[in-house]
Amino acid sequence: MNKIVVLYDSRSGNTKKMAKLVCDGALSLSETDVRFLSVSEASAEDILWCDGIAAGSPTYIGLVSADMKVFWERIIKKTWGKIDGKIGCAFSSSGGRGGGAEIVCQSITTIMLNFGMLVFGITDYTGPGQTLHYGAIASGQPAEGAESDACVRLGRRLAEWVAFFCHGKKEAYPLIQEYKKK
Amino acid sequence: MNKIVVLYDSRSGNTKKMAKLVCDGALSLSETDVRFLSVSEASAEDILWCDGIAAGSPTYIGLVSADMKVFWERIIKKTWGKIDGKIGCAFSSSGGRGGGAEIVCQSITTIMLNFGMLVFGITDYTGPGQTLHYGAIASGQPAEGAESDACVRLGRRLAEWVAFFCHGKKEAYPLIQEYKKK
Amino acid sequence: MNKIVVLYDSRSGNTKKMAKLVCDGALSLSETDVRFLSVSEASAEDILWCDGIAAGSPTYIGLVSADMKVFWERIIKKTWGKIDGKIGCAFSSSGGRGGGAEIVCQSITTIMLNFGMLVFGITDYTGPGQTLHYGAIASGQPAEGAESDACVRLGRRLAEWVAFFCHGKKEAYPLIQEYKKK
Amino acid sequence: MNKIVVLYDSRSGNTKKMAKLVCDGALSLSETDVRFLSVSEASAEDILWCDGIAAGSPTYIGLVSADMKVFWERIIKKTWGKIDGKIGCAFSSSGGRGGGAEIVCQSITTIMLNFGMLVFGITDYTGPGQTLHYGAIASGQPAEGAESDACVRLGRRLAEWVAFFCHGKKEAYPLIQEYKKK
């Protein structure tokens, strides 16, 4: 079973909408179990349980939100040194393009690297002019189409890598998936 | 006279279009002289001459292009230690949203910090859902409206900071400019 | 009068020691007034008062500490859009070399760019094998010699740029300072 | 067989010394084959061949060297979209502490994310005051002891993750390795 945590912080609800789409993507791969948790709900046990984590934060002043930072810095700090090798990725909703969503994704993956995790980017385009090389981003709530699809793709890819790397499912390898042809 | 270099690397022409808009913005402030130069045209003399530099690169694999890097690493390396205190900012055109344009802007300002320059971000929104907190970004060529306006604003702001900080023009202070009301 | 805020977050005391050295550096320039404040002491009024801010955070999981983030995200959020053009720089103490102190400095300057500030790097070496291109860093408490000198230099440079840029003191220009000869 | 490429750019020889230590580390795990290649020697075939890549660049102006960038941007550009899921990590030698080696490691992993690779950080300390959370760093040539050990550890960890993730060797999992007790 691919065990995924979709972890989010959200105030306006935009990042939570992204998180739900990430869940949908992860669940689209068979034999996948997802825990959908805000930073106030998730515990060290959830993080220890999972194979992979997709973490999303609103773009607050160009970095991961303070609440998301508190989660890693205090709430699950005791898992540091115990979760090396879990697989991670990031997503963020900003107030506008050029507002730092990519840089927030980078700050989330920086945290994950510190914990010894493996993080990934995605080469795919989910539509003309929309990709997710460093994680899925949205301006405000995820727009229907390519922006929402990027969130779905992120969750799907996380599940695929978990299946492929953690559970030896060679058939989950993304480059042989149908959607790559887009 | 506010002396500005707008420096760019461009293959498809998209970043060059952004650069032209950045020029327009800089020239919209009176008493401003702009040198519009590609990385193959600009020289150490240009960099020593100016008060401020707006540098733009296509988003190539999430970082400043190799040609732009060569410019700083080799062509003007001898200016290192001589241009401390010049004012800088960045812009980039990527293949798609989420493709790394913000991270490229960050890589350009990182280079500038290394040279002892001062770099700035911009708080303004140039339209709903478009800002330029870490530099101006575009997906492909700069779209008319908010995306192009962000390029213009970047050049204007650079000229304003140069006028304000380097030439003591208190009236150039951006927060008292009309467009801030948007 | 050059008005400087040295802002810090510190639990072990290491970053606070760096902050004191940054203060010393700033005060070494005449006509400089420094407010030395932890993130729990500083207020929006302090930030509005000053010309320049040196902000230091411990290296917690590769990013600015949650407490420092809270300061910018909540405590002084209302100053956003009002402090454009203030001058900033960063410092950080990490548990070890390679532990992320440079990346924390980058995260602090990212926050400052978001607020429309100008941030700077420093080209100087304060001793063999020690520089502060992106801010001053220390592993643990700042060691005597080059590491402590880097903190002092950071504060001095901030005061110099404030004097030069904000108060028109041409004689404060760093490249004509004695210590550059080292 | 764990297939590793240790890729480096080096002018002074410092980064090459790091690269050799990374090789030593990788080869310390049984059933590991390493190709030790400069950016002028490596080809697309090497990149397609391997399971994992450790890439090292000198710290030139706070970013990956132009020659390393050229390698990814031009020489192996045609592998883009074909190497998703390979495992990567970074190392860098800078002129001095605080000179950007961590930020260069970040720029290398940014490139790797763009290619769809998985990159990792390392939680271990290889001695008091020396870690490699974002890759191995050195100031000048890698000093004997903790700094050199960090390079060795990086190569070893890459081989371990490749064995564990790509070849199903559960016994390679780093957290059960002897050296973790340090």
Side-chain angles (χ1 to χ4, degrees):
Chain A
M1 203 60 145
N2 311 312
K3 289 170 284 183
I4 306 284
V5 166
V6 177
L7 176 75
Y8 68 93
D9 179 35
S10 189
R11 227 153 299 176
S12 70
N14 292 332
T15 304
K16 187 174 184 179
K17 281 179 188 161
M18 295 183 81
K20 283 184 177 162
L21 294 163
V22 173
C23 274
D24 292 346
L27 290 168
S28 73
L29 193 72
S30 58
E31 297 183 56
T32 301
D33 189 4
V34 176
R35 294 188 185 176
F36 177 73
L37 299 163
S38 74
V39 288
S40 62
E41 296 166 333
S43 69
E45 188 276 330
D46 295 311
I47 300 303
L48 293 168
W49 164 79
C50 73
D51 302 310
I53 305 166
S57 164
T59 298
Y60 283 164
I61 318 181
L63 287 180
V64 68
S65 69
D67 285 344
M68 176 62 83
K69 184 75 202 299
V70 164
F71 178 78
W72 294 86
E73 190 176 308
R74 297 178 200 162
I75 297 172
I76 64 148
K77 188 62 207 302
K78 64 181 171 186
T79 70
W80 195 86
K82 296 178 185 168
I83 64 169
D84 306 60
K86 293 188 190 287
I87 296 176
C89 60
F91 56 99
S92 183
S93 167
S94 65
R97 289 166 201 151
E102 291 177 358
I103 293 173
V104 171
C105 288
Q106 187 185 53
S107 73
I108 292 171
T109 55
T110 293
I111 291 173
M112 290 172 165
L113 291 178
N114 187 289
F115 271 77
M117 294 175 63
L118 285 83
V119 301
F120 63 88
I122 296 184
T123 53
D124 312 13
Y125 282 70
T126 54
Q130 185 79 38
T131 183
L132 62 160
H133 291 346
Y134 310 99
I137 66 168
S139 175
Q141 61 176 322
E144 281 198 37
E147 214 169 59
S148 289
D149 290 352
C151 300
V152 174
R153 182 68 49 87
L154 187 76
R156 171 84 183 192
R157 184 61 42 88
L158 177 58
E160 289 168 345
W161 286 136
V162 161
F164 180 76
F165 282 121
C166 306
H167 301 290
K169 306 274 175 144
K170 296 303 177 193
E171 69 277 15
Y173 187 59
L175 296 190
I176 54 172
Q177 301 296 317
E178 188 88 4
Y179 55 70
K180 288 293 299 182
K181 293 172 185 162
K182 189 181 234 175
Chain B
M1 203 62 145
N2 311 311
K3 289 171 285 184
I4 306 283
V5 166
V6 176
L7 175 76
Y8 67 93
D9 179 36
S10 189
R11 228 153 297 175
S12 70
N14 291 332
T15 304
K16 187 174 184 179
K17 281 180 188 161
M18 296 182 81
K20 283 185 177 162
L21 293 164
V22 174
C23 274
D24 292 346
L27 289 168
S28 74
L29 194 72
S30 59
E31 297 183 56
T32 301
D33 189 3
V34 176
R35 294 187 184 176
F36 177 72
L37 300 163
S38 74
V39 288
S40 61
E41 297 166 332
S43 69
E45 188 277 330
D46 295 311
I47 300 303
L48 292 169
W49 164 79
C50 73
D51 301 310
I53 305 166
S57 164
T59 299
Y60 284 164
I61 318 180
L63 286 180
V64 67
S65 70
D67 285 344
M68 176 62 83
K69 185 74 202 297
V70 164
F71 178 78
W72 294 86
E73 190 177 308
R74 297 178 201 162
I75 298 173
I76 62 148
K77 188 64 207 302
K78 63 181 170 185
T79 69
W80 195 86
K82 296 178 185 167
I83 63 169
D84 305 60
K86 294 188 188 288
I87 296 176
C89 60
F91 56 99
S92 184
S93 168
S94 65
R97 289 165 201 150
E102 291 177 358
I103 293 173
V104 171
C105 288
Q106 188 185 51
S107 73
I108 292 171
T109 54
T110 294
I111 291 173
M112 291 172 165
L113 291 178
N114 186 290
F115 271 78
M117 294 175 63
L118 285 82
V119 302
F120 63 88
I122 296 185
T123 52
D124 310 16
Y125 282 70
T126 55
Q130 185 79 37
T131 182
L132 62 161
H133 291 345
Y134 310 99
I137 66 168
S139 175
Q141 60 176 323
E144 280 197 39
E147 215 169 58
S148 289
D149 290 352
C151 301
V152 174
R153 183 66 50 88
L154 187 76
R156 171 84 184 192
R157 185 59 44 88
L158 177 57
E160 289 168 345
W161 285 137
V162 162
F164 180 76
F165 282 121
C166 306
H167 300 290
K169 306 275 175 145
K170 296 302 176 195
E171 68 277 17
Y173 187 59
L175 296 190
I176 54 173
Q177 302 296 317
E178 189 85 5
Y179 54 69
K180 289 293 300 184
K181 293 171 185 163
K182 187 181 235 174
Chain C
M1 203 60 146
N2 311 312
K3 288 171 284 182
I4 306 283
V5 166
V6 176
L7 176 76
Y8 68 94
D9 180 34
S10 189
R11 229 153 296 175
S12 70
N14 292 331
T15 304
K16 187 174 183 179
K17 281 179 188 161
M18 296 182 81
K20 282 185 178 163
L21 293 164
V22 174
C23 274
D24 292 345
L27 289 168
S28 73
L29 193 73
S30 59
E31 296 183 56
T32 302
D33 188 4
V34 176
R35 294 187 185 176
F36 177 72
L37 299 163
S38 74
V39 288
S40 62
E41 297 166 333
S43 69
E45 189 276 329
D46 295 311
I47 299 303
L48 293 169
W49 164 80
C50 72
D51 301 310
I53 304 166
S57 163
T59 299
Y60 283 164
I61 319 180
L63 288 179
V64 68
S65 69
D67 285 343
M68 177 62 83
K69 184 76 203 297
V70 164
F71 178 78
W72 294 87
E73 190 176 308
R74 297 177 199 161
I75 297 173
I76 62 148
K77 188 65 206 302
K78 64 182 170 186
T79 69
W80 195 86
K82 296 178 185 168
I83 63 169
D84 306 59
K86 293 189 190 287
I87 296 176
C89 59
F91 56 99
S92 182
S93 168
S94 65
R97 290 166 200 150
E102 291 177 359
I103 294 173
V104 171
C105 287
Q106 188 185 53
S107 74
I108 292 171
T109 54
T110 294
I111 291 173
M112 290 172 166
L113 291 177
N114 186 289
F115 271 78
M117 294 175 62
L118 286 83
V119 302
F120 63 88
I122 296 185
T123 53
D124 311 14
Y125 282 70
T126 55
Q130 185 78 39
T131 183
L132 62 161
H133 292 346
Y134 309 99
I137 66 169
S139 175
Q141 59 175 324
E144 281 197 38
E147 214 169 58
S148 289
D149 290 352
C151 300
V152 174
R153 183 67 51 86
L154 187 77
R156 170 85 182 191
R157 185 60 43 87
L158 177 57
E160 288 169 345
W161 286 137
V162 162
F164 180 77
F165 282 122
C166 306
H167 301 291
K169 305 274 175 145
K170 295 304 177 193
E171 69 277 17
Y173 186 58
L175 295 191
I176 53 171
Q177 301 296 317
E178 189 88 3
Y179 55 70
K180 289 292 298 179
K181 292 171 184 162
K182 189 180 234 176
Chain D
M1 202 61 147
N2 311 312
K3 288 170 286 181
I4 306 284
V5 166
V6 176
L7 175 76
Y8 68 93
D9 179 35
S10 188
R11 229 153 296 176
S12 69
N14 292 332
T15 304
K16 187 174 183 179
K17 282 179 188 160
M18 297 182 81
K20 282 184 178 163
L21 294 164
V22 174
C23 274
D24 291 345
L27 290 168
S28 73
L29 193 72
S30 58
E31 296 182 57
T32 302
D33 188 4
V34 176
R35 294 187 185 176
F36 177 72
L37 300 163
S38 75
V39 288
S40 62
E41 296 166 333
S43 69
E45 189 276 332
D46 295 311
I47 300 303
L48 293 168
W49 164 79
C50 73
D51 302 310
I53 305 166
S57 164
T59 299
Y60 284 165
I61 319 179
L63 287 179
V64 68
S65 69
D67 285 344
M68 176 62 83
K69 185 76 202 297
V70 164
F71 178 78
W72 294 86
E73 190 176 308
R74 297 177 199 162
I75 297 173
I76 63 148
K77 187 66 207 301
K78 63 182 171 185
T79 70
W80 195 86
K82 296 178 185 167
I83 63 168
D84 306 59
K86 293 188 190 288
I87 296 176
C89 60
F91 56 98
S92 183
S93 168
S94 65
R97 289 168 200 149
E102 291 176 359
I103 294 173
V104 171
C105 287
Q106 188 185 52
S107 73
I108 292 171
T109 54
T110 294
I111 291 173
M112 290 172 166
L113 291 178
N114 186 289
F115 270 78
M117 293 174 63
L118 285 82
V119 302
F120 63 88
I122 296 185
T123 52
D124 311 16
Y125 281 70
T126 55
Q130 185 78 39
T131 183
L132 62 161
H133 291 346
Y134 309 99
I137 66 168
S139 175
Q141 59 176 323
E144 280 197 39
E147 215 168 60
S148 289
D149 290 352
C151 300
V152 174
R153 183 67 49 86
L154 188 76
R156 170 85 183 192
R157 185 60 44 87
L158 177 57
E160 288 168 345
W161 285 136
V162 162
F164 180 76
F165 282 122
C166 306
H167 301 290
K169 306 274 174 144
K170 294 304 177 194
E171 68 277 17
Y173 186 58
L175 295 191
I176 54 171
Q177 301 297 316
E178 189 87 3
Y179 54 70
K180 289 293 298 181
K181 292 171 184 161
K182 189 178 235 177

